Amino acid sequence: MTELSGLYGCGVGTDFAAVGRLLSSPARAAMLEVLLDGGTASASELAAAASVKPSTASGHLAALVDGRIVDVSARGRHRDYRLANRDVALALEALSRICPDRPVRSLKTARTMDVMRVARTCYDHLAGRLGVEILDAMLEREWLVPRGGRYAVLEAGERMLVEIGVDVDDARRQRRTFARPCIDWTERRPHLAGALGAALCRGVLAAGWAQRRRGDRGLLLTAIGATQLNETFGIALTAGR
């Protein structure tokens, strides 16, 4: 059984149209794009991202919650929204690989796309050129090795990961696939996903190698991050601005 099988079931009775109707709205699609970073956002933040009025956003969010695509939690008088689970994120990222790119109609959109292609999060792991090149480097150095459609980490790789602040033991204890490939939306090659990919992403952010952009999934490399990525993985990427 795959990691996606628990979302709506599988087989001839699967109602793809139900999810298709939820995703058919550009406003709802824009909201989901924000939530694909694995974090939470308020209704007002999602309304701004979708360029709709708060009252309109409420209707869209109610539909996404009813459709089990988004969860909502109360925080005093405020409500925080997030993707319902990891399966939703995996499904949306997979779907993005067969979707056309949105037209670029402003310098702001062009800048956002440039950032996203270099470095972003794919739910809870690293994606874009950053994620793909890290995985390439780890495989080339035999820190990771393919095994049954997944990856195993070797002793040298575990030592390196621990040195840069990645909790490998905690990743092993998670009730999810330890390390697996995820085909990157922009690079069309795999980046590292699974519990180890999530731990690596947390380690990179905690070490200050990259910073999250507000309002989207983009990551900006810091000067120290660009240096450390080059020294650790042999990756040449420029610090963001």
Side-chain angles (χ1 to χ4, degrees):
M1 183 176 291
T2 69
E3 291 192 44
L4 296 178
S5 60
L7 181 56
Y8 285 97
C10 57
V12 295
T14 299
D15 189 359
F16 291 106
V19 177
R21 285 190 291 271
L22 289 172
L23 301 182
S24 65
S25 161
R28 290 196 287 270
M31 293 174 178
L32 293 173
E33 177 69 31
V34 171
L35 296 177
L36 262 172
D37 69 353
T40 62
S42 67
S44 60
E45 289 171 329
L46 294 171
S51 300
V52 296
K53 296 179 180 179
S55 57
T56 303
S58 296
H60 286 308
L61 288 167
L64 291 170
V65 171
D66 288 345
R68 295 182 292 164
I69 299 294
V70 166
D71 273 345
V72 59
S73 58
R75 181 170 51 89
R77 298 175 61 184
H78 302 280
R79 290 188 170 191
D80 293 324
Y81 295 86
R82 67 169 64 242
L83 294 185
N85 52 52
R86 193 180 305 114
D87 285 343
V88 172
L90 291 169
L92 292 173
E93 184 70 16
L95 184 60
S96 71
R97 295 194 288 272
I98 63 171
C99 294
D101 291 339
R102 284 195 298 268
V104 176
R105 296 192 173 96
S106 68
L107 288 175
K108 180 180 178 181
T109 301
R111 168 62 177 156
T112 297
M113 287 305 302
D114 286 344
V115 171
M116 296 269 281
R117 290 181 189 280
V118 174
R120 65 181 185 278
T121 54
C122 174
Y123 193 54
D124 60 0
H125 50 272
L126 299 172
R129 283 182 57 200
L130 174 63
V132 167
E133 291 190 18
I134 285 178
L135 178 57
D136 286 348
M138 294 182 73
L139 291 172
E140 181 179 341
R141 290 161 172 75
E142 295 187 342
W143 292 341
L144 289 181
V145 293
R147 189 165 294 171
R150 301 179 181 182
Y151 299 119
V153 61
L154 300 187
E155 183 178 347
E158 182 164 351
R159 186 165 57 247
M160 178 278 302
L161 288 166
V162 170
E163 286 176 357
I164 65 174
V166 178
D167 193 336
V168 179
D169 286 337
D170 181 71
R172 286 196 177 96
R173 289 192 292 268
Q174 301 302 307
R175 297 182 62 184
R176 59 188 289 193
T177 302
F178 174 66
R180 62 174 181 81
C182 177
I183 300 298
D184 196 85
W185 155 51
T186 52
E187 295 295 303
R188 308 294 178 177
R189 296 188 291 126
H191 56 242
L192 179 63
L196 186 63
L200 176 61
C201 182
R202 290 194 298 271
V204 164
L205 292 172
W209 292 13
Q211 299 173 339
R212 294 184 185 272
R213 272 171 47 106
R214 185 174 180 82
D216 60 51
R217 295 188 287 148
L219 298 176
L220 295 175
L221 295 183
T222 62
I224 189 173
T227 298
Q228 292 299 319
L229 285 166
N230 186 268
E231 292 180 357
T232 305
F233 298 101
I235 295 172
L237 292 175
T238 305
R241 289 175 295 187

